[in-house]
Structures are given as structure tokens and as C-alpha cells.
Amino acid sequence: MARARREYSEGGTDIDLTPMLDVVFILLIFFIVTAQFIKEPGVQILRPEVENKSQAKPLAILIAIDANSDIYIDKKKINPAEVGFTIKEMRLDNPRGEVVIQTDVNADASVMVDVMEAINKIDGDTVINISAKTTG
């Protein structure tokens, strides 16, 4: 009883990884495109502490007012007279984004009120969120 031996050729045992790499790159591109990036104000803000736990969505329109009462939108210093125009431009790109104002503890409250009035002149239905540190 003789057993028949099979001869295996070396060329047929390779695994083609190209389709798997294609799928991996497509998934990577999908996650990069759909990721929600957290926006930073561009300046260091010392926010007041509160006991509020509600949070705004990460794709908000972020306005920062620093200790010198300078206004920053999208990491750029903005003239107070241009706030309304800048917000209107950002509304075209992000129509459903919430407006969040981060005001430094040492900033003038009148600057924050002026910014809020400028936003209300553009769209009176816009909800304006004030950012603060939560305690606890």
C-alpha cells in the first residue's frame, strides 16, 4: 500500500492583502471625515465656576473674551464692530451650531453683553450658551 504524495507548489500559498488594505483605508477616511473636532478658543480663558452640568455640542460656534476684553472667534482677534458679520459668515458654514461664549473672570461684562446683542441682531432665536467651569 503505497501512499500518494502530493507536491505543493510554492506559488499558490500567498495571501493577497490588497483588498483588506483597501477596506482599512476606506474606514480610516470615513472616520476622519465624520469625526467631530473640539474647537479651542485660541487664548487662555479663566472661566468662573458654576454648578451647571449641561454641555454644548462640540461643533459649536465658539467666542472667547480674554482678561483684556479682547474678542476671539476661531482663534482670531476680532474687532467688536465685526462680531455680527463674523458670526453671520460662520452661520453659513454651520447653520445648526450652538453659540458658546467663553468669558474670562476678569473681562468687562459690557463686552459680553455687546457680543450677545450683536448675535441677537443677526438672529433673535439663537440660544447663546455661556461657558464656565463646573464644580465638583
Side-chain angles (χ1 to χ4, degrees):
M1 297 211 174
R3 292 188 179 173
R5 283 193 168 174
R6 292 187 183 173
E7 296 287 330
Y8 293 105
S9 64
E10 294 295 322
T13 60
D14 290 341
I15 297 174
D16 187 18
L17 296 177
T18 306
M20 184 181 71
L21 289 175
D22 290 342
V23 170
V24 168
F25 283 126
I26 289 171
L27 286 173
L28 179 67
I29 291 169
F30 173 78
F31 287 121
I32 289 173
V33 169
T34 60
Q36 294 183 353
F37 297 103
I38 298 173
K39 293 188 176 185
E40 297 292 327
V43 293
Q44 188 69 12
I45 303 291
L46 178 62
R47 296 179 290 173
E49 294 186 9
V50 296
E51 293 186 18
N52 187 2
K53 300 215 180 193
S54 64
Q55 293 185 358
K57 295 177 184 172
L59 289 177
I61 296 172
L62 187 60
I63 303 168
I65 303 172
D66 67 358
N68 298 327
S69 298
D70 294 327
I71 303 167
Y72 291 86
I73 300 176
D74 215 12
K75 298 182 181 178
K76 297 175 191 159
K77 188 175 177 181
I78 302 294
N79 187 347
E82 298 174 354
V83 170
F85 177 74
T86 306
I87 295 296
K88 189 181 284 188
E89 281 184 340
M90 293 184 80
R91 275 282 183 215
L92 295 174
D93 295 336
N94 189 4
R96 296 185 302 163
E98 296 180 2
V99 176
V100 178
I101 300 176
Q102 288 186 350
T103 306
D104 194 284
V105 175
N106 299 319
D108 291 333
S110 63
V111 175
M112 183 177 72
V113 171
D114 291 342
V115 169
M116 292 171 72
E117 287 176 353
I119 294 168
N120 282 328
K121 284 181 186 176
I122 296 168
D123 182 14
D125 296 333
T126 302
V127 176
I128 302 171
N129 299 297
I130 308 297
S131 177
K133 279 195 274 185
T134 56
T135 58

